[in-house]
Amino acid sequence: MTEHLVETSLEIRTLKQIDELEKIQELEKIVWGMSEVVPTHQTLTAVKNGGLVLGAYYDEKLVGFQYSFAGFNGKEVYLCSHMLAIHPEFRHLGIGEKLKRAQREEALKLGYQLITWTYDPLESVNAYLNIGKLGAITSTYILNAYGEMNDSLNQGLPSDRFFVEWWLNDIHVSQKSKGIRFDERNFNSKYVLIEWKVNDIGLPIATSIHLSLDQHHGYLFVPIPSKFQQLKHLDLQLATDWRMKTREVFTYYFEKGWAVTDFFKLSSDDQKGVNFYVLTKRGENRGI
């Protein structure tokens, strides 16, 4: 199945009826392999009180969904994006991005300026979408955010998460929506914060970290494994080491005023096995 075929037959709808929301539960079980799902009475209540549920349909079959609810941090109201799932047979076809773009449009109609969510910093597919394509940013690292998780994607590691902010009307977000990506000519290996090497079976091994590159450069770079789930499956100890080293780097630099503002993969083969986060100093404004 091609992305073009899906795009011509894909429809994204806002979901508000009980029977529609029940279909989401079926997809939850398929994606995460868990018997416990979000109760329908919860999603129904959310959409009636400032929340949003979107469904992606291919030939009338639900193949993806996005679930958000209203949030408040004591200062401002925002939309808290809680779940996004794509059926395994329909992944890597751009459906997740389409759901997020639709979410932005619907959130603006509802009066929101900010959408927040969390994701695993080591998942490069999510990073590329959230940071590299949508223009979300983060300077908040949450240690073991959800405690021990036993689903197929999270089992065996601390559930560390980025808390990301998607400022819907920020110029950075507008540029991303126009396809503007990080210019890799700005990449400089001197400012990479984790050194690594590739082992005999092609897995990246984090060897050392740098906590002293805080001055005199506009960008810092943090590598993460390009295929983290595969790495975790083959070597859980190696995956745990990446978790701990990236945790230390991100928490240190976030405290120093840096923020994750972009994500990219080098077009050359010089940096095998990893993709890169871009860190920049965060200004006083809410975005970057």
Side-chain angles (χ1 to χ4, degrees):
M1 185 178 300
T2 66
E3 184 171 347
H4 174 72
L5 179 61
V6 169
E7 185 170 349
T8 57
S9 302
L10 191 74
E11 180 184 4
I12 294 180
R13 311 171 191 161
T14 57
L15 308 184
K16 298 181 180 180
Q17 304 302 320
I18 292 177
D19 59 337
E20 296 173 322
L21 298 173
E22 287 175 344
K23 293 293 184 181
I24 285 176
Q25 295 178 319
E26 299 174 13
L27 191 52
E28 279 185 70
K29 294 176 184 178
I30 293 171
V31 171
W32 286 292
M34 297 191 301
S35 58
E36 296 183 6
V37 295
V38 178
T40 302
H41 64 77
Q42 182 173 322
T43 51
L44 182 63
T45 302
V47 298
K48 290 182 177 180
N49 294 276
L52 178 66
V53 178
L54 296 169
Y57 290 84
Y58 177 76
D59 285 346
E60 294 303 314
K61 175 184 177 181
L62 182 70
V63 297
F65 77 89
Q66 191 288 313
Y67 164 48
S68 310
F69 53 82
F72 180 64
N73 60 12
K75 296 180 181 180
E76 55 198 342
V77 176
Y78 55 92
L79 191 63
C80 181
S81 186
H82 185 53
M83 303 177 80
L84 188 148
I86 308 297
H87 193 287
E89 296 177 4
F90 288 82
R91 289 174 185 164
H92 310 297
L93 296 171
I95 297 174
E97 181 178 359
K98 291 178 175 62
L99 279 167
K100 295 300 289 185
R101 300 288 183 198
Q103 182 192 34
R104 179 175 182 265
E105 292 178 9
E106 294 301 320
L108 287 169
K109 291 177 185 177
L110 293 170
Y112 291 107
Q113 300 298 310
L114 171 65
I115 301 177
T116 69
W117 64 92
T118 63
Y119 79 93
D120 187 334
L122 292 177
E123 293 289 356
S124 61
V125 172
N126 294 346
Y128 183 58
L129 172 60
N130 297 334
I131 309 296
K133 300 183 77 172
L134 298 178
I137 62 174
T138 181
S139 56
T140 304
Y141 191 99
I142 307 174
L143 277 65
N144 204 25
Y146 302 112
E148 182 178 348
M149 302 179 71
N150 293 318
D151 63 281
S152 58
L153 293 178
N154 296 287
Q155 189 173 22
L157 289 178
S159 57
D160 291 15
R161 294 293 186 268
F162 276 159
F163 175 83
V164 302
E165 305 166 29
W166 197 21
W167 293 97
L168 304 182
N169 286 318
D170 190 85
I171 188 171
H172 178 65
V173 173
S174 298
Q175 289 173 337
K176 290 295 185 182
S177 68
K178 297 173 183 177
I180 297 175
R181 301 289 179 255
F182 180 76
D183 187 344
E184 66 178 65
R185 290 175 296 181
N186 291 316
F187 176 75
N188 189 329
S189 59
K190 289 170 53 180
Y191 297 100
V192 173
L193 301 178
I194 299 177
E195 295 184 16
W196 81 99
K197 61 182 181 180
V198 177
N199 67 12
D200 294 339
I201 59 173
L203 300 178
I205 302 172
T207 56
S208 60
I209 64 175
H210 298 289
L211 301 180
S212 59
L213 298 178
D214 195 25
Q215 303 295 330
H216 312 303
H217 190 66
Y219 300 107
L220 299 175
F221 305 97
V222 180
I224 64 167
S226 57
K227 298 179 180 179
F228 185 64
Q229 286 297 324
Q230 179 188 69
L231 181 148
K232 188 177 77 167
H233 175 73
L234 294 172
D235 193 330
L236 183 58
Q237 183 177 350
L238 180 56
T240 302
D241 189 56
W242 273 104
R243 171 71 84 215
M244 296 308 170
K245 283 185 169 63
T246 52
R247 173 193 284 185
E248 186 173 359
V249 166
F250 284 124
T251 54
Y252 176 86
Y253 282 95
F254 286 174
E255 289 176 359
K256 296 291 184 179
W258 293 82
V260 166
T261 57
D262 224 320
F263 187 82
F264 71 101
K265 176 183 178 181
L266 285 176
S267 57
S268 68
D269 292 330
D270 295 338
Q271 314 290 340
K272 292 183 178 179
V274 298
N275 298 331
F276 294 91
Y277 283 107
V278 180
L279 274 63
T280 59
K281 279 285 189 176
R282 188 163 187 175
E284 296 298 323
N285 60 322
R286 297 181 301 179
I288 60 172

